[in-house]
Amino acid sequence: MAEINRENKDRLFRFIFGSEENKAWTLSLYNAVNGSSYENPDDIIITTIEDALYMGMKDDNAFLIYDTINLYEQQSTYNPNLPLRYLIYAGMVYSGLIESGKWKINLYSSKIQKLPVPKCVCFYNGTANKDDEVLELSAAFPEGAESDISVRVHMLNINYGRNMELLRACAPLHDYSFLIDRIRFHQKEGMEIGDAVDLAVDELSNDSVIKPFILKNRAEVKRMC
């Protein structure tokens, strides 16, 4: 029995939450994670650096609607090295912001240059039983060593049945979690992956916010799985 492709399942998460077409879902995810209630998805700028998402400026005076860079990833396997990866991502995003002119600062100014605050979140839906966890870069250094750089990544378990308050707060995330759970269930019952995906998609409720998008892109979703 073919197992659901882990790397491509991560791509499926980005397919749902990381596109210009679905920025409203990205904003819903942001609101659910942060307990906020922002309503304008056009204030989201999606980077082309891997799967990092960040919220953008409203004007060229650096007046922010959102003052955070949100680095989001979905992981199907537990990875304690995420803080190092996020350190690299954050540097790339800051560099991109500055070089593109989207964030106007002078790196050589004698005055402090204000930056958006980086927020690092990993959405975990692997099969290993993992609780929510804060992963820290300091764990990779020799014991007792004092580092001048600190990175924290908040890992949230989004398997169906876990963190239900978060899932209920973001309908697209709830539906994605349900979809993956049903694909796995049907695979365990001996169903081939393609048939498992088809049946799981059909099992999404008719009022599912992502179902029309998934149906429209059913062939691509099946390739991702």
Side-chain angles (χ1 to χ4, degrees):
M1 180 179 65
E3 293 185 358
I4 185 169
N5 186 305
R6 290 176 173 177
E7 180 180 350
N8 285 347
K9 181 157 57 66
D10 299 344
R11 285 179 52 215
L12 177 59
F13 183 88
R14 296 196 295 271
F15 188 56
I16 294 173
F17 291 102
S19 69
E20 291 288 337
E21 180 180 357
N22 298 330
K23 288 201 296 186
W25 297 348
T26 305
L27 183 59
S28 175
L29 183 61
Y30 173 86
N31 284 333
V33 170
N34 294 280
S36 53
S37 56
Y38 295 110
E39 298 179 352
N40 187 4
D42 289 335
D43 291 329
I44 292 180
I45 299 174
I46 300 179
T47 73
T48 56
I49 302 173
E50 296 291 344
D51 51 347
L53 309 177
Y54 64 91
M55 311 296 277
M57 300 182 300
K58 194 65 176 178
D59 57 36
D60 59 3
N61 293 323
F63 176 76
L64 301 180
I65 299 297
Y66 309 100
D67 59 357
T68 62
I69 291 177
N70 300 280
L71 302 173
Y72 289 174
E73 265 207 52
Q74 188 267 332
Q75 289 283 304
S76 301
T77 55
Y78 177 74
N79 186 349
N81 300 301
L82 281 171
L84 176 58
R85 292 173 55 180
Y86 275 82
L87 174 65
I88 296 170
Y89 292 165
M92 294 171 70
V93 172
Y94 277 123
S95 178
L97 279 173
I98 296 169
E99 292 178 8
S100 67
K102 292 184 175 72
W103 198 280
K104 298 185 181 300
I105 70 170
N106 181 359
L107 290 175
Y108 305 101
S109 173
S110 60
K111 297 181 180 179
I112 188 70
Q113 303 290 287
K114 297 297 184 180
L115 296 172
V117 179
K119 294 291 185 179
C120 304
V121 181
C122 169
F123 299 95
Y124 171 79
N125 72 341
T127 55
N129 184 22
K130 291 291 183 181
D131 294 324
D132 292 355
E133 184 179 350
V134 177
L135 304 170
E136 301 200 33
L137 185 64
S138 59
F141 300 140
E143 185 175 355
E146 293 186 7
S147 170
D148 292 331
I149 295 178
S150 176
V151 178
R152 295 185 303 171
V153 177
H154 296 266
M155 188 183 78
L156 304 176
N157 190 324
I158 60 166
N159 279 298
Y160 199 71
R162 304 288 290 269
N163 273 320
M164 290 306 294
E165 184 175 351
L166 174 67
L167 299 188
R168 284 191 291 266
C170 179
L173 184 65
H174 172 276
D175 294 350
Y176 168 80
S177 178
F178 175 83
L179 178 66
I180 298 301
D181 182 74
R182 297 307 296 171
I183 293 173
R184 285 177 175 156
F185 173 81
H186 294 309
Q187 280 194 281
K188 289 179 180 178
E189 294 293 302
M191 191 173 291
E192 293 296 329
I193 181 63
D195 294 334
V197 172
D198 279 332
L199 184 54
V201 171
D202 292 340
E203 288 175 334
L204 287 168
S205 66
N206 289 331
D207 59 356
S208 163
V209 294
I210 72 169
K211 188 170 186 176
F213 178 76
I214 296 294
L215 288 173
K216 184 178 71 172
N217 298 281
R218 183 191 287 260
E220 178 67 13
V221 169
K222 290 178 72 172
R223 282 194 295 270
M224 289 181 179
C225 293

